[in-house]
Each structure stands twice: as structure tokens, then as C-alpha cells.
Amino acid sequence: MRITPGILKDNMLYNLHRTLADMEKSQQMLSNGKALTKPSDDPVKLLRAMKYRSDITQGEQYQRNLEDGLNWLNTTDAALNELTNLLQRVKELTVYGANSSLPQESLNSIAEEIKQIKEQVGVVANTQFAGKYIFGGTEVDNQPWDGSNWRGNSDGIYFEIGSNIKVQVNTLGSPLFPDVINTLDQIIDHLTNGDISALSSDLDSLDNNLNSVLAVRAEVGARTNRLELMQNRLLAQLETEKELLSKTEDADIAATIIALKNQENVYRSALAVGARILPPTLVDFLR
């Protein structure tokens, strides 16, 4: 095969362009910190990185759902705790009112305080989280308790916290709050009318109300525990996926710098050698 000056020149330029392309790729890796800058770099790794990124995005959405769910449940538990304290106070007042030696004026005073407690129970029934009423089922935009009637429904609100995993985050206020308010109305009526003997059955109703509240709080606590377990598991999973994504697509900065320096040396050497091996032309003698 006859080697001509044109072949030498073309081969030298081809190798120089290839070295420049390698340098450009190394510089891109250093500037963006990514080993994968285009699909042709490594199609298999690129697909793997896309899968990791998709899983991370989905996991972060589940994490936000879990955070919102926990906040919803914590708000619910705080409201139920307040309701428990209110009922405990009503029980103390009712026991005191059941003392037959009290004059009617004292019974009226007790009834008046319980009326105020009833109003506060209505406020608790209309507790909101993020602008949504938490005890009215899916009727989150309307007050479930309007002061005389319960308007909420019995539908659950579910948050997706994992693949095909949903958890109910709302607690239904009915029949809990209507039953409590009905008991308070009876106590107020009996105190106002001086019907001391009826207060004994009212105390039984109060105990039933308190037991109902405790049962609901236990259910809320169980759901809270589950969400916290799921949150911890998801955080660990997200951390693992982010590490795998980093190993798949992030550049090894130290190795890339070394590679770039080597490529620069190769390029300079190629230029020097090329200047020597290319044969002289007529132009060289016309200087």
C-alpha cells in the first residue's frame, strides 16, 4: 500500500479530532458532574438511571403523602384529646350536680358552664387541617356541625403511601360528636329542670362517650404508628436509590481530571509528532 502525504495528514487529523472529542467529553463530565451526558455514552446505564430517577420521584411523592397524613392524624388526635378533657370536665360537673342538696340556682350555674362546653365541643367538631374539615368525611369544604345538625358524611379519605398501598387518614365524626352533643343536651335539660335522679343515667352516657373517644383515639394512634413505620422504611429506600443513581450516572471527578490531563498530553504530543512526520511541501521552500 502506497502511503502518500495526504494519507499521513488525514490519519493525523482523524486522531487529533478523536482526542479532542475525548477531551470535550471529559470537560462536560467535569462541568456537570455526570458520567452520562447522552444516550450513546452507555444505553444500559442510562436506562437504569432513568428507572432510579422515576422511582425516586415517585418515592418523594409518597413521602409528601405520608407527611400530610401524619399531620392530619396528629391534628385529629389533638382534637380528640381536647374532646376528652371537655368530657372529663362535664363528668366532674355532673357528679357535683347529682348532689341533691344543691339549690336550683347552683344547678343552673352548672348547666350554664356545660352549655359553654357544648359550644366548644362544636368548635372541636369543626377542626380543620390545611383548610379542610377533618371530621366531616369527604365533605371537607363544609362545617360538619352547623350548631344544630350534623352535615358530614361517612366516606373515608385515603392517601397513597406506596405502590398499591392506601391508608385512611380521616376520622369520621359521626356518630361520635352527635352522640356527645345529645348527652350534653340531656344533662343541661336535667340540671335546668332539677331532675337530679336522671343525672345517674347521664353519667353512664358520658362514660360511653368517653369510651368511644378513647376507642377512636386508639385507632388514630394505630394508623399513626403505621404511617411512621412506612415513613422510616421509605426514607431508607430513597437513600439507597439515590446512592445507586449517583453510582450509575455521577462522574468520578478525580479519575476524570486525570483522564483529561492525559488527553491533553496526548493531544500536545500528537501535534508535535505530526509536525515532524509530515513531509515538507513546496510551501516550506517558499518562505
Side-chain angles (χ1 to χ4, degrees), residues 3 14 16 19 25 29 32 59 65-66 75 95 100 108-109 143 147 157 168 191 204 207 215-216 231 241 248 255 274:
I3 305 298
Y14 171 77
L16 286 175
T19 302
K25 180 180 179 181
M29 291 168 62
N32 59 28
N65 292 349
L66 280 164
T75 302
V95 169
S100 59
N108 291 340
S109 297
Q143 288 187 345
I157 297 174
Q168 183 176 347
L191 287 169
D204 291 338
D207 286 336
V216 173
Q231 187 180 50
E241 289 173 343
T248 302

Side-chain angles (χ1 to χ4, degrees), residues 142-203:
N142 302 311
Q143 288 187 345
W145 176 248
D146 65 2
S148 57
N149 297 296
W150 187 263
R151 301 186 301 175
N153 61 37
S154 299
D155 297 330
I157 297 174
Y158 296 84
F159 283 2
E160 189 171 5
I161 60 173
S163 181
N164 297 319
I165 302 175
K166 293 183 178 181
V167 170
Q168 183 176 347
V169 297
N170 70 323
T171 297
L172 302 178
S174 179
L176 181 64
F177 282 98
D179 286 352
V180 167
I181 292 171
N182 182 61
T183 298
L184 298 184
D185 283 336
Q186 289 181 349
I187 294 173
I188 293 169
D189 183 63
H190 293 153
L191 287 169
T192 303
N193 294 324
D195 191 356
I196 303 302
S197 60
L199 293 178
S200 296
S201 61
D202 292 336
L203 286 170

Side-chain angles (χ1 to χ4, degrees), residues 216-233:
V216 173
R217 290 190 69 183
E219 182 183 348
V220 170
R223 277 186 277 165
T224 300
N225 290 338
R226 184 187 179 189
L227 291 190
E228 288 175 345
L229 290 172
M230 286 293 298
Q231 187 180 50
N232 293 335
R233 178 177 177 273

